[in-house]
Structure formats: C-alpha cells, structure tokens
Amino acid sequence: MFTPTPQESADKTEPTTSTTTRTTLPDDPAEHFSGYALMGLPFSSGHYLAFRRFTASSVGPGYHAVWLRTPEGRWTIYADVPPEVSCARYFGAGVSETRQVAVSAVWTGPWQLSVRVPDVVQWEIELSATWATRVATSMARHMPDAAWRSDRVLGAMGTMMGPMLRAGRMSLNGRVPNGQSFQVKPLRVWTVEDSQARIDGVDAGTHRPLRVQERLADFWLPQRGLFVSELSLRFPSTASAGGVAMATEAAETSGPAS
C-alpha cells in the first residue's frame, strides 16, 4: 500500500488552479476548513510556534497562519487573510494580537518544511514517522465518517492519542475562545524529528515541552511537535459575533507588520 510523505499528502489538498481546490468541503450548515498543519511545537526558550495551511474554507479564501507564543505567555496570530476569515475568527478572544501579514511555507524536501513570517519568524521543520504516528494514522483512516461528528468518540480519541503520541493532553473537540464548538479530523499524523527557529532574530533553542502545557479554551497545544495532513476542521455552532469583532479590533489596532 502506498504511504505518502508529508509533502505528498499536503500537496493533495493544494489548489489545482487559482480558483479551484482538490478538496470538496462538506455540504452542511457548519463552518469548515481543510488542509494541513503543524499543531504546535514548544521550544527551550519558552516560545511556542504553530502553523496552519488551510487550502479550503467555507467562510473565505484559503490561507497560511502562524501562531506565536512568547515566554511571557503572549499569543499573536499572523495570517495572510483578514482576521474575520482566519484562525482569529475562533481564537481571537484568547490571544493578545492578530496581524495580517505575508505568511509563507515552502517544502524543501519530502520531509522538510520551511515557514516564514517576514521580520518575525524563520522556522525550519523536519518530520518523521514513528510507530505511534503510524498507529494513529491507521486508526484515523479506518474510522467511519459518522464517528468524526460524535463528540463522545472524539473525546475518547483525544484522551487516548495524547499519551500514545507523548504530546500531553490532546483535544479533538470542545470550545474555542470565541465560543464556537469545534471538531478536528486529522487523517495522517507525523512527528517533528528536528526543528530550528529564529524569532525576532534570536534562536529559539531546542524543541522541549513547556513547563506547563498551554491551551486556548478547550484546545490544548501539544507538548510535542505533531504534523497532521488531510485535515478537516468543523465548527458546528454559529460564529460568535463578539469574538470576531474582538479579533478584528485587535488587528486594526496593531495594523499590518512592516
């Protein structure tokens, strides 16, 4: 059986032209996103980085985003689309700042990804497969579609997968800071083998778990670098207008990065 590399799996979700994507979003009233992501990676400096590449969205264009946490606990979301159609639509109430900037990601090899936020983040990522990620991938790909919409099943999966992947607590469902409910469907999983990052020109150090695991509402940030692809994210509840307004106000206050 053919097993794709992370790059091959990610490329399956990328647009085939400037106006179409290979991914068809579900036709239901929920808000949907699909693509791939590095769920998060903690560093010995106390910084935390996460990357999102949603190639299809039911609320706007696809986009790239980087989440950055400073050692002091201050979160910033950088995205290349406005906050009302980016991660800030759901997480804006839980972060200090949102900024619309040119976020980029380039595959430099089948297992290597390079992520940039101009003048802020330079991030090199090398991925690998382990027995645990292979088991998690096999389990995910054999789950029926109905199970991915069951909060009971997703709660049990998150409880089991966190220790199995040595990532601390994990959540595949719950509430985000802006109040919406979420359900996560990752069909392929890899781990971060190695990573180097420079944040504001300073080396972030080695990848190392934070002293206290971070979360944004019910969304736990893993204590180990996990990359997921063929990823679907579903928000069954309607958007919180107050949360979106807060995210938008933060972006307008901070303005685009120079």
Side-chain angles (χ1 to χ4, degrees):
M1 183 178 66
F2 171 71
T3 301
T5 65
Q7 181 184 17
E8 289 169 331
S9 180
D11 283 348
K12 286 177 60 177
T13 71
E14 288 289 351
T16 55
T17 72
S18 60
T19 57
T20 62
T21 68
R22 301 182 188 183
T23 303
T24 301
L25 296 174
D27 183 16
D28 70 38
E31 296 181 351
H32 294 271
F33 297 80
S34 65
Y36 52 95
L38 201 161
M39 301 306 293
L41 184 66
F43 289 87
S44 57
S45 63
H47 289 91
Y48 194 102
L49 287 171
F51 169 71
R52 308 287 184 261
R53 168 56 174 147
F54 290 117
T55 57
S57 164
S58 66
V59 301
Y63 66 92
H64 302 78
V66 167
W67 301 8
L68 168 62
R69 174 200 180 271
T70 66
E72 296 75 33
R74 178 183 173 89
W75 282 97
T76 301
I77 293 177
Y78 300 90
D80 54 10
V81 294
E84 60 267 22
V85 292
S86 76
C87 301
R89 181 180 184 88
Y90 309 98
F91 292 89
V95 305
S96 301
E97 188 177 8
T98 63
R99 296 177 71 88
Q100 186 178 348
V101 299
V103 180
S104 64
V106 176
W107 289 96
T108 58
W111 299 83
Q112 293 83 30
L113 182 63
S114 181
V115 177
R116 296 286 187 273
V117 177
D119 302 320
V120 182
V121 175
Q122 299 177 9
W123 188 12
E124 310 300 328
I125 303 156
E126 182 174 352
L127 305 171
S128 68
T130 67
W131 72 267
T133 62
R134 293 187 184 99
V135 169
T137 295
S138 178
M139 290 173 54
R141 297 189 68 80
H142 284 89
M143 277 184 57
D145 287 342
W148 291 107
R149 298 194 176 187
S150 166
D151 285 330
R152 181 178 179 182
V153 172
L154 292 176
M157 281 188 64
T159 299
M160 175 184 63
M161 289 179 65
M164 183 177 76
L165 294 168
R166 295 191 290 116
R169 292 191 63 172
M170 287 187 65
S171 51
L172 298 179
N173 69 303
R175 293 274 173 181
V176 290
N178 288 19
Q180 302 98 325
S181 58
F182 71 91
Q183 296 174 330
V184 185
K185 179 183 178 182
L187 292 184
R188 294 191 184 276
V189 186
W190 291 271
T191 190
V192 173
E193 176 72 20
D194 192 21
S195 182
Q196 299 84 40
R198 295 188 68 83
I199 299 170
D200 294 326
V202 179
D203 188 350
T206 58
H207 46 102
R208 180 185 302 170
L210 298 177
R211 185 178 59 83
V212 178
Q213 186 175 0
E214 275 277 5
R215 66 169 175 162
L216 294 170
D218 293 335
F219 189 84
W220 288 87
L221 283 303
Q223 288 278 58
R224 184 184 187 190
L226 296 177
F227 180 85
V228 295
S229 188
E230 298 174 43
L231 167 69
S232 299
L233 189 56
R234 181 173 184 262
F235 293 90
S237 57
T238 56
S240 166
V244 174
M246 183 180 297
T248 304
E249 181 180 354
E252 292 174 345
T253 299
S254 61
S258 56

